[in-house]
Amino acid sequence: MRSMQHKAAGLSLLCFLLLVPPASTGQFKRDKNIWNYDGGVIFATDGALPNGVCFRVSGDVNAADFFNNLKRVDDERGTVFRRGTELVSEFPETLDVSFSIRDEPCSRGLRETAPRTYLTREMMSQLQLLIYWKHGLNLRPVKDVKQVEARLERIVPFARGLAAELPVRFEWSYQLLVPSAGVPLTDSLVFVFRTTEERVAARVAARL
């Protein structure tokens, strides 16, 4: 695995980068809710750069078969995670994180009055990613993140015959390996995309 730098793909990664009280007698008891995490955890958000370019981040967090049959159960006694009859409290040693970035209209479904600006290689080269573990209000920078793969692909327009006349658009895709040994399942993995001027362009959390 390579260190977390990939000039061709553009994005740089910086690695400095409930408890629910039991219902008392007379209180309304909390309904039992169950979430299933087969296939991992999906995350997505929209972002914007100071120059007016808007983009979409979408991805998932997985780890071999760790999430298979994993369920979160919330009831009046609190929150627990189970795999069958087994109680699970912590993430595995590492998590596989995959995500992609592509530009999007800033106003979906509405006609834009100004000419649209598209996400370029230069813009992406100035976008930084910081990753944290979030516990309550506390953010802990994730260290030793590994980049497994970074790809840059041209987006082929639906109207292929007009491709030569349309602006060139790209999609950036990344695969990371994030250390997670000993991290409680109640913590969230937070991704912050920041410009070189230290402005937050997008923020999203993968949470169970």
Side-chain angles (χ1 to χ4, degrees):
M1 295 181 183
R2 303 192 297 268
S3 63
M4 203 45 185
Q5 295 180 347
H6 196 285
K7 295 182 180 179
L11 180 67
S12 63
L13 178 68
L14 304 183
C15 298
F16 55 88
L17 253 236
L18 259 165
L19 215 114
V20 178
S24 61
T25 304
Q27 285 184 320
F28 178 76
K29 288 191 175 181
R30 180 177 173 183
D31 291 335
K32 185 174 183 179
N33 296 306
I34 300 177
W35 285 265
N36 192 316
Y37 295 103
D38 280 344
V41 181
I42 297 174
F43 60 91
T45 192
D46 294 322
L49 299 177
N51 62 4
V53 172
C54 297
F55 59 91
R56 179 76 170 172
V57 180
S58 55
D60 65 82
V61 177
N62 218 322
D65 59 354
F66 176 81
F67 291 98
N68 293 346
N69 299 317
L70 181 66
K71 293 179 174 61
R72 170 176 169 163
V73 181
D74 288 349
D75 58 21
E76 68 275 5
R77 293 171 296 180
T79 299
V80 295
F81 295 88
R82 295 182 180 276
R83 188 184 295 109
T85 58
E86 173 193 7
L87 284 176
V88 184
S89 60
E90 297 180 349
F91 285 100
E93 290 190 3
T94 56
L95 294 173
D96 301 313
V97 176
S98 300
F99 66 92
S100 62
I101 301 176
R102 62 161 66 188
D103 58 62
E104 293 282 353
C106 294
S107 302
R108 297 181 184 178
L110 300 176
R111 179 172 295 180
E112 296 184 274
T113 57
R116 181 177 164 188
T117 305
Y118 296 88
L119 196 59
T120 65
R121 291 185 179 93
E122 182 181 0
M123 295 174 194
M124 281 294 295
S125 68
Q126 299 177 26
L127 196 62
Q128 302 171 329
L129 171 61
L130 299 92
I131 304 179
Y132 302 91
W133 283 111
K134 183 175 184 292
H135 182 81
L137 298 177
N138 181 48
L139 291 175
R140 307 187 309 277
V142 179
K143 300 178 181 179
D144 301 323
V145 176
K146 304 291 185 181
Q147 179 174 286
V148 179
E149 186 178 12
R151 299 192 312 275
L152 172 62
E153 298 177 330
R154 181 174 179 176
I155 300 173
V156 180
F158 290 110
R160 292 174 178 263
L162 299 176
E165 304 174 24
L166 296 175
V168 177
R169 298 179 60 212
F170 297 99
E171 180 176 68
W172 287 261
S173 300
Y174 301 89
Q175 294 182 17
L176 313 175
L177 199 61
V178 177
S180 54
V183 177
L185 291 178
T186 49
D187 285 10
S188 303
L189 191 59
V190 177
F191 305 89
V192 178
F193 296 84
R194 194 179 68 180
T195 67
T196 52
E197 295 82 17
E198 298 191 356
R199 294 182 58 177
V200 175
R203 173 174 169 154
V204 63
R207 59 172 62 88
L208 274 66

